[in-house]
Amino acid sequence: MTTVEPRSAVARPGRIPRPRAGRPDERDAELERLRGENAALRAQVQSRADELDVATRMLAARAQTMTSVIDAVTEQSIIGTDRDGVIRVWNPGAEKMLGLPRTEVVRKRSIVEFHVPDELEAEAAACGSAAGLAALVHAAQEHGSDVRDWTYVAADGQERTVSVAVTPRSDDRGVHAGWNFVGTDMTEARATERMKDQFVSLISHELRTPLTSILGYLELVLDEDGEPLTDEQRTYLTTVERNADRLLRLVGDLLFTAQVDAGRFSLDPRDVELAGVVRAAEETARVTADTAGVEIVVELPEQGVVVPGDAVRLGQACDNLVSNAVKFTPAGGRVTLSVRSGWAAPDGTVSAEPRPGADPVAQLAVTDTGMGIPSGEQTKLFTRFFRSSTARRNAVPGVGLGLAITKAITTAHGGTLDVVSAEGEGTTFTLTLPRATA
């Protein structure tokens, strides 16, 4: 017997069966929900694609801008390398400085090939690194950047003194990818500096010899008892002696600045009592101050303040500060010399009481009630031969070497020299030095 299925239970080919009678239309609802999610996903993908397209175009524009900037630099060499020193960036400035086109260098040459081997070996020995690229980048690797003079060798064999700034280079993920070398040709500038220093040293030596002789003979004449001088003659010769002394001091200052620039400035370190330095400076300036009608006041602590240093150089620094203060203070004014001990925090602030992490220091301050220094000129005060507008306007004598020398002496002692001044109200120079402790 053959069983016949009910006709209503058989689905026709190619047609979706309708929901059975009595079931809610869940399938249609599910399909509608899936269509909605699909549309949302499509919209999200399109949004991400648009964002990616914008980011790609921004990166391309940024790369193009950076390339344009690098290519626009023609007076400085910009060289980028990978981690092994192989050159990847070579701008027109590098082409001009080293005489090779980009096509002959990029991915073909190492930065080391453009350096003097002996110079790299000497640096490697000094810093304890391997020769070659390691010697070039060890300081930048340790401190994040490094600027110093190196000798570049051009394609024609010509050597050039170049101030090179070295910095690490990272890729888009922040991973170390190599090194950047930005070089400024200092060949002519360094040659000019050497000639200037040689000239200063030569002239200074040539002037010092006859001046010493002149002063010696003047002393003999002024002290001669056999044939006493008339008052007029003594006045003339005393004027000559005073000006010869002034010239001799100027020659000494020129020689000192030449020694500082040449790195030949040395100290004779001992324990120095600052009270003695201040009293000597006050005694030296007393006659000049009295003549100018300027009062000198000395303020010293009951307990001595001792610093490790060169007594002669510290005396020279103090003399310069006191001499300047007297010159810039009009009659009726006051110059105050003070010494105090303190504690310097890492941020440079000094307090009277010890604090955690603070180092013992001594401060020697010279304060005047003089004409002051314009605020815009105070950063230039320690530059050689710089003279403030107040000095020029009031015809204060000087050549602008005293503060530069004082700054060099302070730095050599591991200290700092600060200035606080207001035009028309006076000036305070504060010399802060490491203090000896028992």
Side-chain angles (χ1 to χ4, degrees):
M1 181 176 178
T2 303
T3 303
V4 179
E5 294 289 340
R7 186 173 183 178
S8 60
V10 178
R12 296 182 181 180
R15 297 185 62 182
I16 300 176
R18 295 179 182 177
R20 282 181 283 182
R23 288 183 58 190
D25 198 1
E26 296 177 356
R27 183 174 298 176
D28 288 347
E30 181 69 14
L31 288 174
E32 189 62 28
R33 185 182 65 81
L34 291 174
R35 289 190 187 98
E37 289 183 359
N38 183 49
L41 286 172
R42 286 177 178 274
Q44 189 175 10
V45 169
Q46 185 61 45
S47 176
R48 294 292 185 269
D50 292 341
E51 290 177 2
L52 180 61
D53 181 61
V54 170
T56 301
R57 285 189 277 110
M58 288 179 63
L59 286 173
R62 187 179 302 172
Q64 181 61 39
T65 300
M66 184 61 67
T67 300
S68 300
V69 170
I70 291 174
D71 287 346
V73 178
T74 59
E75 298 304 316
Q76 287 183 306
S77 64
I78 300 179
I79 303 172
T81 74
D82 62 16
R83 288 178 295 179
D84 297 323
V86 177
I87 295 171
R88 298 300 182 92
V89 177
W90 185 266
N91 79 323
E95 293 182 351
K96 178 181 177 181
M97 185 181 296
L98 296 169
L100 286 174
R102 184 178 306 177
T103 54
E104 295 185 17
V105 178
V106 173
R107 299 182 183 272
K108 299 177 182 178
R109 305 283 293 270
S110 169
I111 183 68
V112 176
E113 298 177 39
F114 298 95
H115 283 262
V116 176
D118 291 346
E119 202 170 67
L120 293 177
E121 291 174 5
E123 179 63 24
C127 66
S129 69
L133 181 66
L136 280 176
V137 303
H138 77 93
Q141 197 167 24
E142 182 177 350
H143 305 293
S145 64
D146 179 55
V147 180
R148 69 178 72 187
D149 283 358
W150 289 96
T151 302
Y152 273 4
V153 183
D156 60 1
Q158 184 179 10
E159 296 184 355
R160 308 199 69 81
T161 301
V162 182
S163 176
V164 182
V166 184
T167 54
R169 184 169 61 88
S170 302
D171 61 16
D172 296 338
R173 298 169 297 172
V175 178
H176 175 61
W179 303 93
N180 294 319
F181 301 84
V182 180
T184 304
D185 191 346
M186 303 297 292
T187 305
E188 294 184 4
R190 296 291 184 258
T192 300
E193 290 174 2
R194 286 193 295 271
M195 290 177 61
K196 180 178 63 176
D197 291 339
Q198 291 170 0
F199 174 78
V200 168
S201 297
L202 176 63
I203 295 302
S204 298
H205 283 297
E206 292 297 322
L207 287 174
R208 171 173 280 186
T209 301
L211 279 172
T212 303
S213 177
I214 290 170
L215 286 169
Y217 280 109
L218 281 171
E219 184 178 359
L220 289 175
V221 172
L222 289 170
D223 293 341
E224 178 63 44
D225 294 330
E227 297 181 6
L229 299 172
T230 65
D231 291 342
E232 185 177 16
Q233 290 172 330
R234 184 169 293 278
T235 299
Y236 291 158
L237 290 176
T238 301
T239 301
V240 173
E241 184 181 39
R242 184 172 61 252
N243 283 282
D245 277 328
R246 181 182 174 188
L247 281 174
L248 190 60
R249 286 195 300 272
L250 176 58
V251 170
D253 288 345
L254 288 171
L255 278 173
F256 181 83
T257 58
Q259 290 172 350
V260 171
D261 289 343
R264 297 193 301 268
F265 170 37
S266 59
L267 300 175
D268 180 19
R270 300 179 183 179
D271 284 347
V272 180
E273 169 59 70
L274 286 184
V277 172
V278 167
R279 290 193 186 96
E282 185 268 341
E283 183 179 347
T284 300
R286 175 66 64 187
V287 174
T288 303
D290 289 345
T291 303
V294 175
E295 180 186 8
I296 297 182
V297 177
V298 176
E299 299 175 352
L300 299 175
E302 294 182 1
Q303 295 183 340
V305 179
V306 178
V307 299
D310 188 315
V312 174
R313 293 304 185 189
L314 289 175
Q316 184 181 8
C318 188
D319 285 345
N320 287 339
L321 294 178
V322 176
S323 173
N324 271 358
V326 171
K327 287 193 298 184
F328 281 85
T329 303
R334 174 184 295 179
V335 173
T336 303
L337 285 67
S338 63
V339 172
R340 71 185 182 99
S341 59
W343 299 83
D347 62 359
T349 58
V350 177
S351 61
E353 299 298 328
R355 293 179 293 176
D359 297 318
V361 295
Q363 291 190 307
L364 191 163
V366 178
T367 302
D368 64 62
T369 58
M371 57 191 73
I373 304 162
S375 58
E377 299 178 3
Q378 293 177 18
T379 57
K380 305 176 184 177
L381 287 175
F382 306 118
T383 305
R384 283 192 303 175
F385 304 111
F386 174 79
R387 305 199 68 227
S388 66
S389 58
T390 49
R392 298 192 302 271
R393 188 165 56 247
N394 293 278
V396 177
V399 294
L401 286 176
L403 288 177
I405 289 173
T406 302
K407 177 70 172 180
I409 293 172
T410 304
T411 302
H413 281 80
T416 59
L417 181 61
D418 301 303
V419 58
V420 176
S421 183
E423 195 168 3
E425 298 181 11
T427 302
T428 297
F429 283 96
T430 303
L431 198 161
T432 304
L433 299 169
R435 175 165 53 90
T437 55

